[in-house]
Structure formats: structure tokens, C-alpha cells
Amino acid sequence: MPAQLLRLLILVDTQKNTMELMNQLIQYDLKKSELAVLKLVAAGKTNKEIAENLFVSLRTVEYRLTMIFKKLQVYSRIEAVQKIREIGLL
């Protein structure tokens, strides 16, 4: 297979993956701030540690987690992290 064709196929595949990711973000309507919270949750941080890392209040972290749970239709931090990994955002 010619190298130029292979590069083109890889580029198309990458663009397809990017579009799928964008569609999933739109589908779940996750904001950057919510993704930041999820990344820290996945790293095993407590709500207090997340608040300190993001320079927000503890209540803000709790609110963002509540919104994340509603958007992803999950009931726990573990389920949220699992779902976000399945989606491919982590």
C-alpha cells in the first residue's frame, strides 16, 4: 500500500474519532469544568482535594458532581468514571 494512501487513511480515521468524541460531548453536554472534576475523581481525589486543586468551593465541586451524575445518568463516582472512560474522554 502506498505510504501516501496510508497517511490519508490514518488522517480520515483520526478525524472520524474526533467527530465521534465531539458528538458524545454534545450528547452528554459536559462542560470543561465538569471534565476537570471527573479527571480528579478518576485520580482518586476527595471532594476537598478537588476543590483545592481547582480553586473552587467544596459546594461547587458537589454541584458539579451532581450535574455530572444527571448528565451521564449514573449514581456514583465510580459509575461516572467508568462511563467517561467508555466514552473515551479519560
Side-chain angles (χ1 to χ4, degrees):
M1 180 179 288
Q4 186 176 4
L5 179 58
L6 185 58
R7 279 191 223 111
L8 181 60
L9 289 174
I10 290 171
L11 178 63
V12 169
D13 188 50
T14 302
Q15 289 174 342
K16 181 182 173 189
N17 289 340
T18 301
M19 291 302 293
E20 288 174 8
L21 182 61
M22 293 303 290
N23 287 336
Q24 289 170 340
L25 278 174
I26 291 167
Q27 175 187 351
Y28 292 108
D29 191 31
L30 291 172
K31 297 180 169 87
K32 287 182 183 180
S33 59
E34 293 166 342
L35 285 175
V37 169
L38 273 172
K39 286 180 182 180
L40 292 170
V41 167
K45 302 290 184 188
T46 65
N47 288 359
K48 184 178 178 182
E49 291 170 328
I50 294 169
E52 291 170 356
N53 277 304
L54 299 178
F55 304 104
V56 297
S57 71
L58 183 59
R59 182 68 188 119
T60 298
V61 173
E62 293 167 351
Y63 176 76
R64 288 180 185 168
L65 282 170
T66 300
M67 295 308 297
I68 290 165
F69 293 170
K70 285 182 183 180
K71 290 177 180 183
L72 296 178
Q73 299 175 348
V74 297
Y75 300 100
S76 72
R77 297 162 72 100
I78 293 170
E79 287 178 310
V81 170
Q82 286 174 341
K83 189 153 191 178
I84 209 72
R85 283 190 174 141
E86 288 172 11
I87 294 169
L89 296 176
L90 280 184

